[in-house]
């Protein structure tokens, strides 16, 4: 039991001890790790990795640094595209012997443009459980920080490196009724923005760069302006590009989004003004917003 007036440090320690005291189930544990700021490592991620029989990662030297920071000394082995076929039977044998094993990637969520999909399929096919310890992922972080409506989005990851194939793929994505989320390298960013401008039209977009790190920044604007800016001063580091849906493609806001906007507006507006403001901002019929506002008020009475 933690004392009522325990400090934040005592509470965190107690929470970690509680997590560490639970046995870790046999199976594959997919564990998210920070995309930059090491403070984003969750307590459950630490406790899971610290109790795993073996931790599989892309690059053992890279992950050893993260684990050392938390005093985690479990054996580390590499699992990546090139040794996956050889490693999967070994990992399955470990799990079949009743051991919990963990999979991490260099950063963020394993499987999201990172290895692990075939392993998850193989573990499930063999009848063993797969667990997830969710956490940071550059895809979601980029989407939410972009300022582009993200109620509906499509995650593409990396586009093809060759311009002809990239343009073809962008053409296929042109009719997606939601924001498009890409991973991109600084070396290809300019070409990618120019191709996107040519294929998708001059849509609103954002580049979320070096998120959670010292040089974190979000560049926003239309694709032509962003491309010009990038050509003038090419940004460095890791980046996520988010592109808004084209005109007429955005799907109408859902009830939850309207209700959240109403709650915020009602803090400083009358019901009538809040309904007007939300209906204009989210481009939703006033009647629909008013109906939700009334239902909300009824629910509160
Ligand atoms: N699985 C990872 C995840 O869930 O975040 C993504 C792995 S993918 C191989 C790496 C790409 O993610 C980078 O090239 C970059 O596009 C993006 N990325 C990773 N960390 C980032 C950060 N801190 N800021 C912006 N983009 C980042």
């Amino acid at each position: 039991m933690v004392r009522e007036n325990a400090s934040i440090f005592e509470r965190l320690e107690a929470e970690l001890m509680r997590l560490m005291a639970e046995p870790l189930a046999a199976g594959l544990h997919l564990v998210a790790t920070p995309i930059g700021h090491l403070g984003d490592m969750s307590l459950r991620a630490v406790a899971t990795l610290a109790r795993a029989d073996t931790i599989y990662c892309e690059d053992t030297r890279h992950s050893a640094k993260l684990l050392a920071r938390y005093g985690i000394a479990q054996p580390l082995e590499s699992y990546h595209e090139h040794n996956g076929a050889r490693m999967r039977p070994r990992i399955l044998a470990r799990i079949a012997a009743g051991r919990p094993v963990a999979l991490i990637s260099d950063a963020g969520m394993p499987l999201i443009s990172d290895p692990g999909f075939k392993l998850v399929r193989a573990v499930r096919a063999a009848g063993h459980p797969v667990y997830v310890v969710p956490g940071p992922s550059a895809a979601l972080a980029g989407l939410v920080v972009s300022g582009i409506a993200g109620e509906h989005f499509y995650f593409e990851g990396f586009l093809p490196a060759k311009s002809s194939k990239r343009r073809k793929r962008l053409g296929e994505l042109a009719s997606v009724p939601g924001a498009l989320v890409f991973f991109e390298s600084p070396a290809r960013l300019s070409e990618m923005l120019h191709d996107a401008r040519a294929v998708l039209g001059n849509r609103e977009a954002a580049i979320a760069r070096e998120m959670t790190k010292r040089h974190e920044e979000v560049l926003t604007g239309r694709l032509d302006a962003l491309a010009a800016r990038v050509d003038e001063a090419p940004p460095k580091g890791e980046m996520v590009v988010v592109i808004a849906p084209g005109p007429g493609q955005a799907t109408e806001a859902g009830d939850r989004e309207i209700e959240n906007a109403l709650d915020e507006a009602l803090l400083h507006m009358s019901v009538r003004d809040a309904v007007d403001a939300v209906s204009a901002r989210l481009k939703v019929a006033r009647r629909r917003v008013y109906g939700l506002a009334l239902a909300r008020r009824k629910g509160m009475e």
Side-chain angles (χ1 to χ4, degrees):
M1 274 293 278
V2 187
R3 285 181 294 110
E4 198 155 297
N5 60 351
S7 70
I8 188 168
F9 301 104
E10 290 167 318
R11 284 176 192 276
L12 281 175
E13 188 179 357
E15 183 60 22
L16 189 56
M17 281 169 66
R18 194 183 64 71
L19 289 170
M20 293 284 290
E22 292 170 8
L24 190 63
L28 174 65
H29 297 258
L30 306 168
V31 181
T33 56
I35 59 168
H37 199 301
L38 294 187
D40 292 336
M41 187 79 175
S42 76
L43 289 179
R44 194 163 159 250
V46 170
T48 301
L49 296 176
R51 288 172 300 160
D53 177 74
T54 307
I55 300 168
Y56 295 93
C57 63
E58 294 180 80
D59 175 346
T60 51
R61 275 194 304 186
H62 174 92
S63 294
K65 286 186 207 146
L66 172 74
L67 299 182
R69 170 135 176 163
Y70 296 97
I72 298 169
Q74 307 314 100
L76 258 183
E77 288 188 30
S78 66
Y79 178 84
H80 44 69
E81 226 178 280
H82 307 293
N83 72 356
R86 179 163 54 82
M87 292 301 287
R88 279 191 292 277
R90 284 176 57 167
I91 301 174
L92 284 176
R94 274 216 164 95
I95 296 174
R99 309 257 172 81
V101 306
L103 177 73
I104 58 176
S105 62
D106 280 351
M109 205 64 200
L111 276 81
I112 303 299
S113 298
D114 272 337
F117 172 69
K118 287 184 182 162
L119 180 60
V120 168
R121 297 282 295 184
V123 171
R124 280 211 190 290
H128 304 300
V130 180
Y131 304 96
V132 66
V133 180
S137 178
L140 284 182
L143 177 70
V144 299
V145 83
S146 70
I148 286 171
E151 209 197 2
H152 303 281
F153 66 93
Y154 182 90
F155 171 66
E156 170 71 2
F158 292 99
L159 281 165
K162 274 182 94 178
S163 184
S164 54
K165 287 196 175 154
R166 185 165 53 225
R167 283 181 175 228
K168 183 167 178 281
R169 182 63 187 146
L170 282 164
E172 288 162 1
L173 297 173
S175 55
V176 169
L180 302 172
V181 182
F182 302 93
F183 287 159
E184 197 44 275
S185 77
R188 277 201 282 273
L189 180 64
S190 166
E191 287 175 42
M192 184 262 191
L193 293 174
H194 284 285
D195 281 349
R197 163 77 183 86
V199 178
L200 302 174
N202 201 15
R203 297 189 187 180
E204 190 189 346
I207 302 167
R209 190 176 80 84
E210 292 287 276
M211 287 180 289
T212 78
K213 305 187 206 174
R214 186 183 310 179
H215 299 294
E216 170 165 4
E217 94 179 311
V218 182
L219 306 172
T220 58
R222 297 264 158 198
L223 282 166
D224 61 355
L226 276 178
R229 199 158 154 189
V230 162
D231 288 342
E232 203 179 291
K236 293 193 188 122
E238 297 194 285
M239 50 198 65
V240 172
V241 177
V242 183
I243 302 180
Q249 269 169 5
T251 47
E252 191 159 282
D255 284 0
R256 176 84 59 84
E257 193 183 351
I258 298 173
E259 283 166 356
N260 287 344
L262 273 172
D263 286 348
E264 208 180 295
L266 285 168
L267 290 177
H268 47 87
M269 284 182 198
S270 66
V271 175
R272 177 193 289 237
D273 288 348
V275 168
D276 284 343
V278 170
S279 115
R281 182 157 75 81
L282 298 182
K283 298 187 179 59
V284 178
R286 198 180 174 286
R287 202 158 22 101
R288 180 167 168 222
V289 181
Y290 190 62
L292 285 168
L294 285 188
R296 203 141 186 82
R297 210 158 65 178
K298 242 188 182 160
M300 283 172 191
E301 280 166 8

